[in-house]
Amino acid sequence: ADCATKMIAQKGTGRETSAVPTWIFYNCNGYKYSNNQQCSNHYIRQEAIMTAITNLLNKQVEIALDVEKLIADVKKMPPVVRHQSSITDQIRSSSLKVQNMEEKIEQLLIDLTNGVIDRSEYEYMKVKYSQKLEYYREESEELIGKSQELTTVISTTQQWLNAIKEYKKLPEINRPVLDALVDKIYVSESKTIKIDLKYCDPYKPMM
């Protein structure tokens, strides 16, 4: 409910001669367990909620084709291709710097053991090399993070598209699709329904 209390499902029963002998409805959990002293019941029938979800998801279907084309266009954009290629080259270069510095630190110990350098020289050079190694490692991690950013954005939007496509195939909404697309549902005392989707704006990550 909009009071932030979870709602519970219950079954309503009508007369035997009723066209709808049973139905599912939801009540505010806080209202029920406070002996009707807190909040209000927020009573709403399941079909009202499902109708609101269906209407919202149908609107999402309408924009799905545009988003799918947007993803395809983004992947082909020369700046994106150049950016990914440049980042890949920088990661390769940074990895080589890390490897080179690790080898220099190992060689210092060999030189110390063989008497090529003394202890003070070893300690001095090890500190310098270790500082550079840490810098190159951080640089490498930052570059890898940048490389993954676009992939993550496209992946997130693709998940939304996949869920929408699955929804389009179904004669009615099922629980897996509901879990994939809907985050929370709020019901006010006036029975107004507000639905938060997990992918509320599929365009936003692509901008």
Side-chain angles (χ1 to χ4, degrees):
D2 60 352
C3 61
T5 302
K6 289 185 178 180
M7 298 185 74
I8 55 173
Q10 295 179 278
K11 180 182 286 188
T13 304
R15 297 177 181 177
E16 292 183 3
T17 57
S18 173
V20 185
T22 62
W23 63 90
I24 303 297
F25 66 92
Y26 295 87
N27 268 339
C28 175
N29 204 26
Y31 179 75
K32 179 180 179 180
Y33 287 102
S34 66
N35 292 319
N36 304 345
Q37 298 301 308
Q38 296 179 9
C39 199
S40 64
N41 63 11
H42 290 74
Y43 174 93
I44 192 164
R45 290 174 66 146
Q46 186 181 59
E47 54 261 38
I49 294 176
M50 296 307 293
T51 297
I53 294 173
T54 300
N55 291 339
L56 181 59
L57 293 185
N58 284 343
K59 291 179 181 178
Q60 295 281 295
V61 169
E62 292 176 6
I63 64 174
L65 291 177
D66 289 340
V67 176
E68 190 164 30
K69 183 177 183 301
L70 178 62
I71 291 178
D73 290 345
V74 166
K75 287 180 178 179
K76 296 175 184 177
M77 286 171 62
V80 173
V81 174
R82 287 198 301 270
H83 173 73
Q84 289 291 74
S85 178
S86 174
I87 289 292
T88 300
D89 290 342
Q90 291 178 58
I91 290 173
R92 188 180 297 111
S93 174
S94 185
S95 296
L96 288 174
K97 291 176 184 177
V98 169
Q99 181 181 346
N100 178 259
M101 205 53 58
E102 289 174 340
E103 290 173 354
K104 283 187 175 183
I105 291 175
E106 290 179 5
Q107 186 62 44
L108 277 178
L109 185 58
I110 294 173
D111 290 344
L112 175 64
T113 303
N114 294 335
V116 177
I117 58 176
D118 59 27
R119 172 61 65 175
S120 62
E121 290 174 317
Y122 169 78
E123 296 293 347
Y124 174 76
M125 294 305 298
K126 184 182 178 183
V127 169
K128 289 192 65 175
Y129 288 163
S130 295
Q131 289 174 343
K132 287 187 177 181
L133 177 61
E134 182 63 24
Y135 172 80
Y136 292 143
R137 281 176 174 167
E138 290 178 357
E139 178 186 62
S140 182
E141 289 176 2
E142 182 179 347
L143 290 168
I144 291 172
K146 288 181 179 180
S147 177
Q148 292 173 341
E149 281 179 4
L150 181 59
T151 301
T152 300
V153 165
I154 292 177
S155 175
T156 299
T157 309
Q158 190 66 56
Q159 289 173 27
W160 171 82
L161 274 173
N162 291 341
I164 287 294
K165 287 179 180 179
E166 188 64 27
Y167 164 69
K168 287 173 64 179
K169 297 177 186 176
L170 300 172
E172 59 183 22
I173 300 172
N174 62 17
R175 186 57 184 263
V177 170
L178 195 64
D179 289 341
L181 290 169
V182 177
D183 184 23
K184 293 179 181 178
I185 302 171
Y186 299 93
V187 178
S188 68
E189 292 185 44
S190 62
K191 295 183 174 53
T192 301
I193 302 170
K194 178 179 179 292
I195 302 169
D196 285 350
L197 298 177
K198 290 184 178 177
Y199 308 99
C200 57
D201 185 356
Y203 282 99
K204 187 175 181 180
M206 305 297 294
M207 298 307 179

